[in-house]
Amino acid sequence: TLRGVAFVNAQDNQICTSADLDTYRIGSRTFVVQAGGEEAAFVITDVTNPASPIRVGPFTWARRGAKGTYTPDVKAFSQTVDGMTRQYVALSLERLRLNGFCGVVVFDVTTATPVFETQIYKNTPSDFWCDVHNSFVEDIGGEGRYLYATADAQNDMRVVDIANVADFPGTCDIATNCAAKEIGRYKAPTAVNNDNYVHDVTVINHGGTAGRRVYVSYWDTGLVILNATDVTPGMSPTPIARIDPPGFLTHHAFASADGTFAFLQDEILDQNGDAPVQMWRVDPPTLVDSLVLGTDVPVNPAHN
């Protein structure tokens, strides 16, 4: 039962999995793009008229055996190509089997027929990363410029300069043949072995004295807040702050508009009395309030 909201419409995406989504505009039209988990790459929906959505897709991986690909996340961005605005979506990919796709794959969705642009990953034996659970594309001057990606194999965050993505080769191995450059990185000192990892990344330009900040949801390390200028470029930035509630696995985080407060979320906590959504003051890190299961909200785990 949904309370306090008015039903507008519902859509059958023709797939069961509903992963993360984003929105974008082309001219006067508004679109939703939704990642498809293992069943599909993505689904696009024209929601210009919310009461009558128009589904385009789902778009699925054509290669045989590609059902080993899991698409958990999608981000929309645009760039100017030869004086024209091109609309892109970046898909974060993880392998469920070795023959699955991985890395970050970019499609041009300016027209109704998506066009594959590139697959970005790093194939260096000592610093290999390909499986990406979450990514974020930061706009600089209205152009999608920096791709922040979770490097699952390395348990850290990477930043890739994706300016002029239309010029990238189809297979964009950062280590050998790609115009994309890995320019930034952050790894928490406590992220050792395979018991900790970056789950989600959010980048917000707060303006003013706060400026551009990167919110790294670092699971058992908590929320790590970085100055974006320290990783574009920069390899070992000092965090602005770290918020690590006891017994809390930080899965996703977002901040208030001015950067004063941060909202943290744990997707595992699901018992009566647990507080899976917490509001913290950033400086100094201070718990302000939380949503308690069974008291403030039903006993259901929060996701994002």
Side-chain angles (χ1 to χ4, degrees):
T1 300
L2 300 177
R3 293 175 296 178
V5 297
F7 176 78
V8 177
N9 212 308
Q11 173 176 278
D12 180 359
N13 278 351
Q14 295 186 350
I15 58 173
C16 187
T17 305
S18 294
D20 285 1
L21 56 80
D22 204 353
T23 62
Y24 60 90
R25 290 179 63 82
I26 297 177
S28 62
R29 308 196 73 79
T30 302
F31 297 87
V32 172
V33 57
Q34 187 165 29
E38 187 182 5
E39 297 168 280
F42 56 94
V43 180
I44 294 175
T45 305
D46 185 334
V47 293
T48 306
N49 178 2
S52 183
I54 302 171
R55 178 181 49 76
V56 185
F59 298 97
T60 59
W61 303 114
R63 182 169 63 78
R64 193 171 185 177
K67 226 174 160 32
T69 303
Y70 184 75
T71 312
D73 188 26
V74 61
K75 294 296 188 296
F77 67 98
S78 62
Q79 291 182 351
T80 302
V81 180
D82 297 329
M84 302 288 291
T85 299
R86 308 298 299 183
Q87 183 64 50
Y88 299 99
V89 295
L91 305 172
S92 303
L93 305 181
E94 294 175 311
R95 293 167 297 175
L96 298 182
R97 291 185 288 276
L98 285 179
N99 66 338
F101 296 126
C102 60
V104 176
V105 171
V106 177
F107 280 86
D108 184 330
V109 293
T110 308
T111 67
T113 303
V115 177
F116 169 77
E117 285 287 346
T118 188
Q119 177 189 16
I120 303 171
Y121 61 95
K122 188 175 185 180
N123 189 17
T124 300
S126 61
D127 190 35
F128 173 83
W129 63 264
C130 192
D131 295 292
V132 175
H133 186 77
N134 179 261
S135 59
F136 194 96
V137 178
E138 182 185 19
D139 279 357
I140 301 295
E143 299 268 312
R145 178 65 185 270
Y146 298 123
L147 169 72
Y148 298 74
T150 65
D152 291 6
Q154 302 299 329
N155 298 325
D156 62 12
M157 180 196 75
R158 304 301 173 101
V159 185
V160 179
D161 189 336
I162 58 169
N164 304 314
V165 72
D167 295 334
F168 290 7
T171 299
C172 195
D173 179 358
I174 291 172
T176 58
N177 70 335
C178 187
K181 302 300 179 185
E182 183 182 293
I183 61 168
R185 180 185 309 177
Y186 178 77
K187 185 163 189 171
T190 55
V192 296
N193 302 322
N194 286 313
D195 59 357
N196 202 11
Y197 59 98
V198 179
H199 198 289
D200 279 24
V201 179
T202 302
V203 185
I204 301 175
N205 187 351
H206 296 287
T209 57
R212 298 161 52 222
R213 289 184 175 179
V214 185
Y215 296 86
V216 185
S217 298
Y218 220 130
W219 208 240
D220 200 30
T221 295
L223 172 64
V224 178
I225 304 175
L226 306 173
N227 188 330
T229 60
D230 292 340
V231 289
T232 56
M235 294 297 180
S236 55
T238 299
I240 296 170
R242 186 168 76 94
I243 302 173
D244 188 16
F248 195 91
L249 301 176
T250 304
H251 165 267
H252 183 75
F254 208 83
S256 60
D258 63 358
T260 300
F261 301 103
F263 301 86
L264 285 66
Q265 176 268 322
D266 182 328
E267 67 174 338
I268 304 298
L269 296 176
D270 62 357
Q271 299 300 306
N272 215 0
D274 287 344
V277 180
Q278 300 185 6
M279 177 182 179
W280 285 72
R281 183 177 293 277
V282 172
D283 186 20
T286 308
L287 179 63
V288 177
D289 203 354
S290 59
L291 295 178
V292 178
L293 297 181
T295 303
D296 301 314
V297 291
V299 183
N300 291 299
H303 188 251
N304 277 21

